[in-house]
C-alpha cells in the first residue's frame, strides 16, 4: 500500500510536468488528455476556478507485478527464554553504564576546560594588574622627578635673582660712596 502511495505521488509529479509540456505544444488537446501508467490511468476533469482536477483510475495489479509488490509476512515470534531476557537486560545495563560513563567523561572535560579558562583569566588579570601597577609606579616616578627638576630650576632662578640683587645693591652702594 505504501509503495502504491509513493508511486502515485511520483506519477502525479510527472503528470503535472507532462500536462504543462502538452499544454504548451497542444493547448486544444489538453482537455482530452488521458495518461496511462503501469497501474493507473489519469483523466482530466473540467477545469475548476481553483485549479485543474484529475480522475485517477487504479488498474487491477497483474500477476507479474503482484509478486514484485507482495508484502512480506510478519516474522514469526519465537519463544523468548529467561536467558535471552537476562542477556538483553545485561546488554541494556551495559549500554546505560557506557552512556553514563561517556556523559561523566564529557562533564569532566567541560569542568577541566572551565578550570583552565578561569586560571587563564586569573593569570591575565594578575598580569594586567601588575602591568598597571608598574605603569603607575613609573608615572609617579616621572612626576616626582619632573617636580624635583621644576623645584630645582625655580630655586636656581631664585638664587640667580638673589645674586643679581646683591650685585645691584653693591653697585648702588659703590655709586653712593663715589658720589658722596
Amino acid at each position: 500500500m505504501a509503495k502504491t502511495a509513493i508511486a502515485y505521488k511520483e506519477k502525479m509529479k510527472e503528470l503535472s510536468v507532462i500536462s504543462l509540456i502538452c499544454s504548451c505544444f497542444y493547448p486544444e488537446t489538453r482537455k482530452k488528455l488521458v495518461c496511462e501508467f503501469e497501474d493507473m490511468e489519469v483523466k482530466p476533469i473540467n477545469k475548476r476556478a481553483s485549479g485543474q482536477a484529475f480522475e485517477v483510475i487504479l488498474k487491477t495489479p497483474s500477476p507479474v507485478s503482484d509478486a514484485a509488490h507482495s508484502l512480506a509476512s510478519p516474522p514469526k515470534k519465537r519463544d523468548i527464554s529467561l536467558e535471552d531476557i537476562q542477556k538483553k537486560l545485561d546488554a541494556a545495563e551495559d549500554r546505560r553504564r557506557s552512556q553514563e560513563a561517556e556523559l561523566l567523561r564529557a562533564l569532566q572535560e567541560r569542568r577541566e576546560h572551565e578550570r583552565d579558562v578561569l586560571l587563564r583569566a586569573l593569570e591575565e588579570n594578575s598580569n594586567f594588574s601588575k602591568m598597571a601597577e608598574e605603569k603607575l609606579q613609573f608615572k609617579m616616578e616621572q612626576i616626582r622627578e619632573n617636580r624635583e627638576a621644576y623645584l630645582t630650576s625655580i630655586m636656581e632662578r631664585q638664587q640667580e635673582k638673589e645674586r643679581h640683587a646683591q650685585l645691584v645693591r653693591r653697585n648702588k652702594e659703590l655709586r653712593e660712596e663715589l658720589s658722596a
Side-chain angles (χ1 to χ4, degrees):
M1 183 71 176
K3 290 182 181 179
T4 307
I6 293 170
Y8 174 72
K9 286 180 183 178
E10 291 176 7
K11 302 294 182 186
M12 291 308 291
K13 288 178 186 175
E14 292 173 7
L15 179 65
S16 63
V17 173
I18 292 172
S19 66
L20 176 66
I21 293 171
C22 291
S23 66
C24 291
F25 293 117
Y26 306 106
E28 66 278 344
T29 60
R30 184 173 152 209
K31 297 175 184 171
K32 300 175 186 176
L33 179 66
V34 175
C35 296
E36 290 190 27
F37 298 101
E38 296 172 6
D39 55 350
M40 70 178 79
E41 181 179 335
V42 180
K43 294 180 184 178
I45 302 175
N46 58 347
K47 188 170 182 172
R48 314 264 166 125
S50 62
Q52 184 70 35
F54 296 96
E55 179 181 358
V56 178
I57 303 169
L58 297 176
K59 296 181 181 178
T60 57
S62 64
V64 175
S65 66
D66 187 31
H69 295 296
S70 66
L71 298 175
S73 62
K76 296 179 182 178
K77 293 186 178 181
R78 60 183 180 124
D79 293 333
I80 300 175
S81 68
L82 186 60
E83 291 176 0
D84 291 339
I85 293 172
Q86 190 60 39
K87 285 179 184 177
K88 288 182 180 181
L89 287 174
D90 291 341
E93 184 68 20
D94 289 342
R95 283 193 305 273
R96 186 188 62 77
R97 284 184 188 145
S98 67
Q99 287 176 350
E100 188 175 307
E102 182 68 25
L103 181 63
L104 289 174
R105 187 184 61 75
L107 287 174
Q108 182 65 26
E109 287 177 0
R110 183 178 293 158
R111 284 185 191 133
E112 288 176 7
H113 177 69
E114 288 173 355
R115 189 177 323 118
D116 291 343
V117 168
L118 285 174
L119 288 175
R120 272 187 271 137
L122 288 173
E123 184 179 334
E124 287 179 12
N125 191 17
S126 65
N127 287 343
F128 176 76
S129 63
K130 286 178 186 176
M131 292 294 292
E133 188 175 345
E134 288 175 5
K135 282 182 182 180
L136 181 62
Q137 290 294 336
F138 180 72
K139 197 172 184 181
M140 294 296 285
E141 185 66 28
Q142 276 186 334
I143 290 171
R144 188 180 59 77
E145 289 175 2
N146 289 344
R147 180 174 168 82
E148 288 177 3
Y150 176 71
L151 289 175
T152 306
S153 68
I154 288 177
M155 296 284 275
E156 286 177 5
R157 278 188 276 162
Q158 188 65 29
Q159 289 173 359
E160 190 68 34
K161 284 183 181 180
E162 191 63 35
R163 279 187 239 135
H164 181 68
Q166 284 178 359
L167 183 65
V168 169
R169 280 186 218 124
R170 191 179 304 148
N171 287 340
K172 189 176 181 183
E173 287 174 6
L174 286 176
R175 273 193 222 147
E176 285 178 5
E177 286 178 13
L178 289 178
S179 60

